[in-house]
Amino acid sequence: MFRVLGPLQIEESADPGPDSQQRLLAVLLQRANAWVDADSVVRALWPQDPPASAKGNVKAYVHQLRQVLPRALDGSPRINSRPGGYRLNLERAELDSAVFEDLIRQGQAALAAGTSTTAVSRLAQALELWRGEPYGQLGHELVRAEADRLRALRDEALDSYQQAREAQQHRPVAEPGPEPEQTVVLRLGPPPDVQQPVPDKTLEPWSHWRMRSQRKPRWRRRAAVAGAVVVVLAAVGAVAVLDTRNSPLLGAAKPESTGSTAAAPVPTQPTVAPKRAVPRHPAPDPAAPKLLFGLGEPVDNAERHELLASTPTRLLSTWYRGPDDLPRLLAWKGETVKRAYADGFALHLIITVTDPPTAFETKFGEACGRPSPTTDEFFDQMRQLADVFAGLAQSPPLFVTLFDQVHTYACNPAGFKPDAQTIAYYKVIKARYVAIRELFHRTAPNALVSLGFGAGLARSDDPLAGGGRSMIQYFREVLSWSDFSSVTVVEPRGDNAADVAAMVRILGAYGPVMLSWYGPEGSPPRVINADVRKLLDEATLGELVAAGLFAWSFDPDAVEAGPTRFLTAAIRDYGRPAL
């Protein structure tokens, strides 16, 4: 009934009311069934300079709140009062954070007992209750401790869920199915969510999604950067920072030389999470090549494009080019993202930076390049994006192409080692990539992360400057840790088909490769037509799939300018599901 794992909500009741009323409810919820003295309420609502009428105001807020809240399950008043104090009467089953905690403990107990099926069920139910920042936009100080506790519980649940899934996949004998649902869950009722797909039913187009509720929570995550220690990644000269729970946080200040965090002892090897496998890769039959085909920028209005309705296009791509894109993407939290995963779509987030290059100081000396990836603000934006797009481990994948066209970010984009400033800059970028990859892995169990290159890199080679194709060798450590590799086609000139083929062969040595965006800007239809026909020739496609290509995402403009009938037929022949 009371939902705090996201914006504060009261189910089966009116809106919780104005901000002052919600803040009072938050205070009482955190100490449910206990008497809270009026002075404590005043201090919580007015941490500084409470008005002379504060206690009178509290009485008025309590009266207003009583009009909104339903009576307790036993019929008694929801809020009791006595001289100088108030108490909110609440059964544990009525508070989603309590149910959340109980389900996590049940799941962890089942995991410890070796019943991984029950553990997966309980932990999945718990994670589905999470809707965003605990208590939403209420005053941060008011709920800081409880919000931190709930976030830590969620981290525990994600870790336990991963362990349970792995145990379930490797269990030697069949386990009993999950136990019957607990009364505590049934009484609370499920949160608004997408209905589960019917087994073996054909995936429905987006226009036929069925929702239990049309409520769209609006919130902005307020991430607080905890105290951290520095872990030096010796192999690449990189720096990543972990918080006290080993969760990757920001590794550098803005710019890096201003950071005051003391360095921890340098480990002999970097600590990097294992690679995650790309579903259905490699293809089971190289003689019958299959790709995961995608379309760009339709995540919130996919039903408008005919290609998704007429072909097995099951990858939805969108771009993040800077803070201006954040409000649009935050609005997809919950409803839009869950719809996509429920209908069997994989999601693909392409992250690039476009700020002008400049010189700035780093731990590696003066660097010159686009400074935005090295700032606290950028890492916090990544934290919010990871939370928006996160799915469960059994959801279709979330592919993340990080730092698209990374080879163009330095002040001197002609190579990796033409000068000390460029070397220092790319060391910083490597460090950032590793830290953000760890962040996505921890926040989104279905996330796979790659470093983004442009296909045009293959057109030249300058071993002395580490430019062109020779640049890739300087990222080999990062590529070996990446879950997959990404190539984009955005330039209007050159032989795009030859460039893509060359990059797939080079990057395929490190693992699966995605043509993460095909959208040569300003190219005439004849160029796009020639590219598509060359790359989707069955023999050529078979070679590319054998070399590592597993997915191809199109700019809608390129689809409209290209050989529509040929492309549609090719996707029908070679398209595959996301899982």
Side-chain angles (χ1 to χ4, degrees), residues 258-487:
T258 63
S260 58
T261 306
V266 178
T268 56
Q269 294 293 333
T271 302
V272 180
K275 295 176 70 161
R276 290 180 175 173
V278 173
R280 301 176 67 90
H281 182 84
D285 183 4
K290 295 289 183 180
L291 291 181
L292 174 59
F293 284 99
L295 193 65
E297 302 288 10
V299 176
D300 57 346
N301 60 355
E303 73 280 2
R304 298 181 185 179
H305 205 286
E306 182 181 352
L307 193 68
L308 293 176
S310 60
T311 67
T313 301
R314 280 289 176 261
L315 176 67
L316 303 176
S317 298
T318 195
W319 285 80
Y320 180 77
R321 298 179 176 89
D324 289 345
D325 286 336
L326 201 56
R328 170 177 63 91
L329 299 179
L330 288 178
W332 297 352
K333 167 72 177 178
E335 182 177 308
T336 298
V337 170
K338 286 184 178 180
R339 288 179 184 179
Y341 290 144
D343 263 4
F345 287 96
L347 297 184
H348 177 209
L349 179 61
I350 309 172
I351 299 167
T352 190
V353 294
T354 58
D355 54 312
T358 188
F360 60 99
E361 285 297 322
T362 75
K363 297 179 73 70
F364 309 107
E366 186 175 65
C368 196
R370 299 175 184 176
S372 63
T374 72
T375 64
D376 291 3
E377 289 83 357
F378 185 85
F379 198 88
D380 186 60
Q381 292 155 18
M382 298 301 100
R383 185 185 298 279
Q384 294 180 71
L385 291 176
D387 190 69
V388 167
F389 285 90
L392 298 177
Q394 73 268 29
S395 300
L398 165 63
F399 295 104
V400 181
T401 294
L402 181 58
F403 299 150
D404 178 59
Q405 303 277 332
V406 65
H407 53 285
T408 67
Y409 289 6
C411 289
N412 186 343
F416 186 93
K417 55 176 187 176
D419 54 66
Q421 288 184 330
T422 301
I423 294 173
Y425 181 75
Y426 280 123
K427 284 183 178 180
V428 175
I429 290 298
K430 286 181 181 182
R432 290 312 175 135
Y433 173 82
V434 172
I436 294 170
R437 173 184 177 269
E438 301 298 297
L439 168 65
F440 270 94
H441 271 204
R442 187 171 184 85
T443 306
N446 63 329
L448 297 100
V449 185
S450 73
L451 187 66
F453 292 96
L457 191 66
R459 295 175 191 164
S460 63
D461 193 19
D462 186 352
L464 294 178
R469 292 186 296 276
S470 290
M471 179 177 281
I472 293 174
Q473 66 180 304
Y474 296 101
F475 289 93
R476 61 181 178 270
E477 303 96 341
V478 169
L479 289 169
S480 69
W481 298 328
S482 297
D483 304 309
F484 67 105
S485 297
S486 286
V487 179

Side-chain angles (χ1 to χ4, degrees), residues 129-324:
L129 293 174
W130 190 272
R131 297 176 295 116
E133 184 70 10
Y135 292 89
Q137 295 182 345
L138 294 180
H140 186 65
E141 294 298 328
L142 184 71
V143 297
R144 177 193 292 273
E146 178 64 0
D148 288 346
R149 185 184 75 86
L150 291 172
R151 280 192 295 268
L153 272 175
R154 184 179 184 240
D155 287 344
E156 281 186 33
L158 288 169
D159 290 342
S160 298
Y161 182 86
Q162 288 286 77
Q163 295 173 32
R165 288 286 294 175
E166 292 172 3
Q168 188 182 47
Q169 292 167 3
H170 296 94
R171 66 182 186 271
V173 294
E175 296 177 4
E179 301 167 7
E181 297 296 341
Q182 300 294 315
T183 303
V184 67
V185 177
L186 295 176
R187 181 176 291 173
L188 177 71
D193 203 352
V194 182
Q195 288 190 353
Q196 293 297 319
V198 179
D200 301 325
K201 183 175 180 180
T202 303
L203 291 171
E204 297 183 7
W206 281 46
S207 57
H208 294 152
W209 281 334
R210 305 182 305 278
M211 297 298 296
R212 293 187 181 123
S213 170
Q214 296 301 319
R215 286 179 292 182
K216 298 181 180 180
R218 298 178 181 275
W219 59 277
R220 287 182 180 274
R221 185 179 180 93
R222 298 179 179 179
V225 178
V229 295
V230 175
V231 177
V232 180
L233 302 185
V236 295
V239 177
V241 174
L242 307 178
D243 70 7
T244 55
R245 294 169 297 174
N246 294 325
S247 175
L249 289 175
L250 189 60
K254 36 178 184 174
E256 292 209 342
S257 61
T258 63
S260 58
T261 306
V266 178
T268 56
Q269 294 293 333
T271 302
V272 180
K275 295 176 70 161
R276 290 180 175 173
V278 173
R280 301 176 67 90
H281 182 84
D285 183 4
K290 295 289 183 180
L291 291 181
L292 174 59
F293 284 99
L295 193 65
E297 302 288 10
V299 176
D300 57 346
N301 60 355
E303 73 280 2
R304 298 181 185 179
H305 205 286
E306 182 181 352
L307 193 68
L308 293 176
S310 60
T311 67
T313 301
R314 280 289 176 261
L315 176 67
L316 303 176
S317 298
T318 195
W319 285 80
Y320 180 77
R321 298 179 176 89
D324 289 345

Side-chain angles (χ1 to χ4, degrees), residues 73-121:
L73 293 177
D74 62 2
S76 62
R78 181 63 71 178
I79 300 179
N80 295 137
S81 60
R82 69 183 185 185
Y86 305 94
R87 180 178 67 189
L88 177 70
N89 298 311
L90 189 69
E91 291 195 17
R92 193 168 180 81
E94 297 180 278
L95 182 61
D96 66 347
S97 61
V99 176
F100 175 71
E101 185 171 0
D102 289 346
L103 287 169
I104 291 172
R105 299 311 177 207
Q106 292 170 19
Q108 291 174 332
L111 179 60
T115 54
S116 57
T117 299
T118 299
V120 167
S121 175

Side-chain angles (χ1 to χ4, degrees), residues 566-577:
F566 174 84
L567 180 59
T568 299
I571 294 177
R572 287 173 180 165
D573 289 342
Y574 305 126
R576 69 164 178 83

